[in-house]
Every structure is written in C-alpha cells, then in structure tokens.
C-alpha cells in the first residue's frame, strides 16, 4: 500500500477490530514528498509537512505487524520489484500501477482500499473473470527503440479503454531479448489501457535480476518450481485476441498530450507539433519514476549525457532525475551515473513519486494557464496532473528520448536524424544509446535510514490520530440501502469528456487530506466539465443558483438530497483512487450513470455502496440532464436477487416535467449486491468479524 491510499485502507481496516493482518502487507511512503529543490531538502520538507501522517502509518504498521518503508525509501512499485515480486506470486496493491511486478512474472493487480481490506482481513477477494489478450513479440529492439516504446505503441493501438476486462500476456521470441526491468516498464503501463494486469513468462532475465537484488533463494526456488509448473503459456494456449509487435521494426514513440494513448512515432512528431501548433519550446525533461528508473535505463541515459557534455553541451531545458528507490540510487552513486547527472546540471529528486503524481513545485516562471510542453518518462499525462496547470502538455517517452529533447530544448528535435550545435561550432549528434542490464556487482543495499521496519503485531501500540487533526479522521459507517427503490434522486451534474479519477479526486496539494474524508471531499469533481454549459467545476442548484460541484454536493448532503452523476465513456480511468468513490458517496451520491466505466473504479463504487449503471442505449445520454428527478425501477429487486435482474431509471425533467424511461445495464455480482445493500463492503465486513 502506498502512503496516500494506505491511510484510508488502514482507517477501514481498523473498524474490523482485528489484532493483525491475515496476510503479509507493507506500507510505502512515496506519494507525499513534493519535488522542488532536490532530494535532501525536499525530503526534509516532506517529512516536516507530513509528520502526522507518517506517524499514523508507522504506528498502525507496528500495531498490526505491517512492514513499513519510511519516506525516501523509494516508490512502491520499484521497491516491490526489488524486494517482494517473485515468479508465480499473486499480490494486490492499492495503486493502479501495481502490475509493474508483472515484469517479474508476478500476477499483480491494482485495487482500491476496500478491496485491500478484504484481503487484509482474510476474506475472499472477487474479480470478474478477465479475458486474455496475447501480445506476441517478435524480433529484437535496436538503436533508439526501448521497452517503453512497446507499451507506448500498444497504447496507441488499444486506446485507454481497449484493455479493459483483459489480462495482457506477452509471449513470443522477442520476450527473450528483454531485461526484467524492461518487462516491468511494459507491464507498469498496462494500466493506461485499462488492463486488469499484464504479465511476462518466467525467463532467465528474471533469475539474473533476482540474484542481482540479493534474492538468490527466490531465484533458486523459482527455477525449481518452473521445472514442475511452467510459468508460461501452455503450448496450445488460445487467446481471446492477439496483437503482434515486431521489435525489430519498432521506432520510438511519443504519447500525448493529455492522454497516454495519443501515440505518434518519433519520425512524425515534428510535423505533428507544427500541424497542431503544440509548443515547440520544451520547458522541462523529467526522467526516472516507477516506470523508468532501472539501472539499464539510467546507464543508457548516462552514456548520452556524458557524450553531450564532452561536446560542450548542457541540457537546454530543466532536467530532473527521480531514482525509483534508495537501492537503485546508491548503486547509481557507486557506479557513477549520479555524478554525471549532477555535472550536467540535472536536479536529483527524492526517491518518491514527485512530479509524476502532481507533487511538483515549479520555479521556471511558467504561470498556471500558460501553454507549455514537458517531456517525461512517466506513465500518465492527464490534463493538469503533473503541476496543476491544465495547459501543461506532458509528452510521454522513453528516458533516452526525454534526455535528448532536454538537451535540444525543443519538441521538434529528432535525435535519430538531427544534430545540435556545440560551442566549438561543430555539430553534435547523439549515438544510439546503450546501457547495462544489471550492474557488474550486485545492487547496493539501501542506506540504513531507508530500510523497512519489520515487526510482529504489537497490540499495546496506540494508533496515532489526533481528535483535532485536519489530516486524519476516523470513519463513520455509510447508511445502508433503503428497503425500497430509490426515489427523489437529482442529477448533480452531467459531465462531458474525460472524467478520470484525477478529475473526481485531484491529487497534488489535495494528497494531504487523504486520511480525512470530509476535507478531501471539498475537491470532488472539481475539474469536471459541465456538459450543458461547458464550464469547469460549475453546477447549478434547482433554484438556478451557481456553485462549484463540491459546494453543491455539500449543500445537497446537508439537505439530505441524494443524487447521481451522469457521464460519458471510461468514467474513473486512471489511478486506483478509492477516494474518487468515497467522496461522492460521502456527499450523497447513490448512482453513477455512464456510457462505460474503468474496471477499478467501477469496483470501488460498488464497494462504497454506489451503484454504477451504464446506458443500454448510449443515445439516452441526451435524455437526462442536471437537476432532473430520478427514481429506480428494478434496482432494489436486483440487489435482493444477488445481482440478477434489469434496472431502469425513470427520469422527470427538471424544467418541463416530461418523463422518460432509460434502460440501463449493470455488472453487479452477488457479493457486490450484498455490499450495496449493507451500505458498503466495510459495513458487511465489520459485521462478519
């Protein structure tokens, strides 16, 4: 569990009154450190600003026997890859990029906090049976192409919805040419196409990585086990769908802006920039993060940086480097790349998520609302995500392409064909990057202060929560579903366009309230676009008065007016952000009606007692609007029947009184029907303990 989501997961777990977790668990303090000046000062500031939360997490870890990784230790996914992931293991993580561990042949699935609590208390965990998408890899990467380009290309083919309901399984001779960390980069970004998880078969590269990360025993067991049960597809395996990617023909790709599936080959990017009038000046290049901070990534980049410096060049744009863990940081320090990055003028950030998730305080004079371009080796690039500026265009690429662009200072540079002028007057052209898969000596161990704290459960420990805290608050149970159909609901807002979990519950400065549901609810849907007016974060009460969306939600909550949201496709895509379900529920939401849902968010809604419904006929989206009165037809009966039955919505237009019946679809299972009837999964779990 990462620190932002662990707060609410632990607050829910505490209500179950158990002495310890039923399965091994860990907490990683990685989301709350702001990237600004550099690693040491940022870490010190982050600890000071978030001490109350870190104390809470550490005390809960001690009480319940959970392994605790302190701030600065590393990003959860990198730490998991280095310490926990193992071939054939299954794990859950409270973050959408948990499938990073699939690069080490681990079935790793991102979930919301309520799902995590089910696992922590030893209850069965349920998942709608996924289909299998086979991705056949042929050939071998060469030149500027990297593992990142595999998933950038695939995202362009599938779109952000194309992987929903699938596990992506990679196979073919091309798999043997990839490193373990390269595979992890690919599986990490499977979240961007909506996949349940992604996985690679067990290969010798996994043994090399396990041994280099001081896990010889795991490597030996994995080899022994794989001789008995082959950790790969059966010879006669049939996939529901198959996509083939020829690595030998793959060129670098650049994805964005504002969505990770807008994929453009590098050879076409300059022309695209000019045609679409995207910014040509590059404001910043940012490399590292959980997606791309491996030894292989960083040594490939170091070679480029060293060659450029020898030619007299320095980055023309701000250049930031985020190591994924203290283990990788100390290894890079030992072997030289860190010194090279510093000499080039790069800013080394803390071993934390930082700018990737909106924890970035810029000092380059770019004001909010100013269009500008950044290149990152991150995994997600929704509008406003990185710095809170909705006009910052984040283009996703490999660390090598990001670095080349940073030296050029322009988005139109192509390192495969273009050269840069040097102080001597000569032209400099980057050589195709090359790096080292794993260090010649095993990875350095993390510094002592960044090693995990492991302890048996201690019931004498008091979990640290101040009754006057603005950051943490104990949870009150949600009210159960009424013993009848829902009636008198009103549409709070009708949303158009992308409505991601960032849209529903923004990160950045709001992360400080992750453990305080009333406070963080103040940001609910605060970047959503009103479909009927085109305004951002604007909703209108029944009397015509204008409010922000969370203001109106609070107003209706106080008036005990239940409500619903109407939205378009892939509602809730992005992070496994449970707060995007908790906040609307807290404010009074009972239903979300959309054209389609992202997997994790749809489950999160049901776990919090909110009913996700989709239009049986998408054209009916035009039949319902803000303020309309809604009652359900068949919903209560469907819930009593364990998810069996049809549900429709009776809509009475707010302004005209006209009535319409909208048919809907649902994917409510028997267990989920029980959650909704009880008011939430937590209510049901608490009764069972």
């Amino acid at each position: 569990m990462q620190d932002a989501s662990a707060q609410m997961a632990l607050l829910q777990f505490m209500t179950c009154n158990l002495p310890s977790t039923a399965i091994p668990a860990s907490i990683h303090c990685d989301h709350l450190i702001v990237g600004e000046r550099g690693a040491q000062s940022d870490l010190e500031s982050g600890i000071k600003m978030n001490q109350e939360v870190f104390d809470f997490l550490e005390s809960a870890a001690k009480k319940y026997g959970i392994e605790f990784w302190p701030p600065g230790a590393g990003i959860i996914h990198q730490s998991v890859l280095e310490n926990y992931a193992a071939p054939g293991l299954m794990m859950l993580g409270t973050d959408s990029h948990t499938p990073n561990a699939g690069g080490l042949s681990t079935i790793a699935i991102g979930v919301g906090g309520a799902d995590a609590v089910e696992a922590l208390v030893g209850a069965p965990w349920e998942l709608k049976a996924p289909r299998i998408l086979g991705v056949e890899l042929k050939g071998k990467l060469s030149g500027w192409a990297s593992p990142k380009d595999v998933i950038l290309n695939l995202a362009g083919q599938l779109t952000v919805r194309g992987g929903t309901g699938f596990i992506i399984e990679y196979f073919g001779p091309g798999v043997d040419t990839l490193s373990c960390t390269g595979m992890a980069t690919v599986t990490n970004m499977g979240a961007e196409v909506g996949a349940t998880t992604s996985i690679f078969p067990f290969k010798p590269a996994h043994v090399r990585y396990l041994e280099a990360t001081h896990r010889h025993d795991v490597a030996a067991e994995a080899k022994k086990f794989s001789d008995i049960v082959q950790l790969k597809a059966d010879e006669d395996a049939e996939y529901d769908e198959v996509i083939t990617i020829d690595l030998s023909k793959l060129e670098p790709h650049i994805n964005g802006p504002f969505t990770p599936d807008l994929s453009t080959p590098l050879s076409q990017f300059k022309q695209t920039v000019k045609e679409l009038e995207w910014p040509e000046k590059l404001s910043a290049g940012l490399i590292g993060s959980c997606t791309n901070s491996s030894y292989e990534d960083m040594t490939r980049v170091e070679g480029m940086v060293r060659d450029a410096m020898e030619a007299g060049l320095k980055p023309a744009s701000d250049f930031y480097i985020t190591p994924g863990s203290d283990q990788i940081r100390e290894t890079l320090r030992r072997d030289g790349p860190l010194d090279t990055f510093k000499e080039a003028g790069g800013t080394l950030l803390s071993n934390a998520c930082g700018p990737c998730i909106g924890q970035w305080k810029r000092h380059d004079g770019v004001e909010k609302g100013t269009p500008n371009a950044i290149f990152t080796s991150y995994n997600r690039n929704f509008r406003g995500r990185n710095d809170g500026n909705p006009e910052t265009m984040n283009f996703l690429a490999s660390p090598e392409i990001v670095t080349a662009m940073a030296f050029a200072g322009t988005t139109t540079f192509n390192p495969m064909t273009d050269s840069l002028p040097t102080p001597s007057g000569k032209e400099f052209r980057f050589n195709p990057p090359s790096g080292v898969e794993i260090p010649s000596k095993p990875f350095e161990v993390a510094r002592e202060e960044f090693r995990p704290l492991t302890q048996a459960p201690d019931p004498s420990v008091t979990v640290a929560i101040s009754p006057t805290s603005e950051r943490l608050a104990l949870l009150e149970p949600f009210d159960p579903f009424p013993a009848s159909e829902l009636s008198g609901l009103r549409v709070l807002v009708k949303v158009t366009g992308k409505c991601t979990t960032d849209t529903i519950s923004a990160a950045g400065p709001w992360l400080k309230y992750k453990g305080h549901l009333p406070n963080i609810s103040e940001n609910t849907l605060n970047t959503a676009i009103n479909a009927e007016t085109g305004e951002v974060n604007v909703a209108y009460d029944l009397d015509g008065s204008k409010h922000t969306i969370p203001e109106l939600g609070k107003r209706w909550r106080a008036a005990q007016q239940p409500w619903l949201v109407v939205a378009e496709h892939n509602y809730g895509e992005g992070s496994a952000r449970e707060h995007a379900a908790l906040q609307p529920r807290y404010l009074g939401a009972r239903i979300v009606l959309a054209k389609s849902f992202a997997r994790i968010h749809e489950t999160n809604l049901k776990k919090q007692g909110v009913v996700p419904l989709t239009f049986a006929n998408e054209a009916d989206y035009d039949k319902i609007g803000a303020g309309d009165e809604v009652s359900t037809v068949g919903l209560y009966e469907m819930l009593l029947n364990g998810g069996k039955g049809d549900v429709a919505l009776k809509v009475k237009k707010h302004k005209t009184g006209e009535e319409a019946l909208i048919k809907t679809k649902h994917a409510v299972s028997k267990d989920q029907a029980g959650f909704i009837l009880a008011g939430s999964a937590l209510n049901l779990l608490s009764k069972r303990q």
Side-chain angles (χ1 to χ4, degrees), residues 357-554:
I357 52 125
Q359 294 284 57
W360 184 21
K361 191 172 183 179
R362 298 179 68 167
H363 291 280
D364 55 4
V366 176
E367 300 292 335
K368 188 171 183 177
T370 302
N372 72 107
I374 63 174
F375 263 66
T376 77
S377 67
Y378 302 160
N379 47 33
R380 195 164 281 160
N381 59 349
F382 300 143
R383 187 182 289 271
R385 175 179 173 88
N386 302 106
D387 59 0
N389 179 4
E391 297 304 318
T392 294
M393 300 183 187
N394 177 3
F395 295 97
L396 306 174
S398 68
E400 301 93 315
I401 295 299
V402 174
T403 300
M405 296 297 193
F407 271 90
T410 174
T411 60
T412 59
F413 181 67
N414 182 345
M416 297 180 69
T417 59
D418 300 342
S419 58
L420 297 173
T422 67
S424 68
K426 296 181 179 179
E427 293 292 309
F428 169 78
R429 179 177 290 184
F430 286 105
N431 293 313
S434 62
V436 180
E437 177 186 344
I438 53 177
S440 56
K441 294 185 289 184
F443 283 92
E444 283 288 304
V445 295
R447 289 168 284 180
E448 187 173 355
E449 63 268 33
F450 297 126
R451 296 173 194 169
L453 305 178
T454 305
Q455 60 280 309
D458 185 351
S460 69
V461 173
T462 299
V463 179
I465 303 178
S466 167
T468 60
S469 174
E470 292 293 312
R471 302 284 302 272
L472 299 161
L474 294 172
L475 294 174
E476 296 290 334
F478 291 132
D479 56 308
F481 196 90
S484 65
E485 293 290 337
L486 298 177
S487 61
L489 278 71
R490 294 282 183 170
V491 177
L492 180 79
V493 65
K494 181 178 179 179
V495 176
T496 188
K498 266 187 184 289
C499 197
T500 70
T501 49
D502 285 68
T503 308
I504 307 164
S505 175
W510 289 96
L511 285 174
K512 63 185 177 183
Y513 296 126
K514 284 284 188 179
H516 199 294
L517 185 54
N519 282 350
I520 198 168
S521 294
E522 299 280 351
N523 80 358
T524 305
L525 289 160
N526 70 352
T527 57
I529 301 172
N530 187 312
E532 292 158 309
T533 68
E535 298 167 294
V536 175
N537 193 24
V538 173
Y540 293 86
D541 206 342
L542 303 179
D543 61 7
S545 57
K546 183 177 180 180
H547 304 271
T548 68
I549 297 173
E551 282 173 355
L552 185 56
K554 283 181 64 179

Side-chain angles (χ1 to χ4, degrees), residues 46-111:
I47 292 174
K48 183 177 180 180
M49 183 180 299
N50 299 288
Q51 189 68 64
E52 177 185 7
V53 172
F54 295 145
D55 288 347
F56 162 69
L57 295 173
E58 185 173 356
S59 63
K62 289 178 178 177
K63 185 176 184 70
Y64 300 115
I66 300 171
E67 201 154 75
F68 178 77
W69 293 74
I75 303 172
I76 179 172
H77 311 303
Q78 182 68 25
S79 294
V80 165
L81 191 70
E82 294 172 350
N83 297 276
Y84 300 133
L89 178 71
M90 180 178 180
M91 66 170 64
L92 303 181
T94 60
D95 191 285
S96 60
H97 293 111
T98 297
N100 187 80
L104 192 37
S105 205
T106 302
I107 296 182
I109 300 175
V111 298

Side-chain angles (χ1 to χ4, degrees), residues 128-133 161-168 193-197 240 599:
K128 182 179 178 181
R131 292 179 290 168
I132 309 297
L133 169 63
R161 291 192 285 141
T164 303
F166 285 93
I167 288 178
I168 300 177
V193 298
T196 300
T197 192
D240 294 286
R599 176 191 66 84

Side-chain angles (χ1 to χ4, degrees), residues 158-217:
L158 289 175
T159 78
V160 292
R161 291 192 285 141
T164 303
F166 285 93
I167 288 178
I168 300 177
E169 183 178 304
Y170 292 87
F171 70 99
V175 170
D176 295 294
T177 69
L178 300 178
S179 66
C180 173
T181 52
M183 296 181 206
T185 293
V186 176
T187 59
N188 177 294
M189 280 192 66
E192 271 47 71
V193 298
T196 300
T197 192
S198 303
I199 192 166
F200 278 85
F202 180 60
K203 293 291 179 181
H206 296 133
V207 175
R208 294 194 295 271
Y209 184 74
L210 286 167
E211 292 177 345
T213 51
H214 311 282
R215 291 178 287 171
H216 291 80
D217 54 341

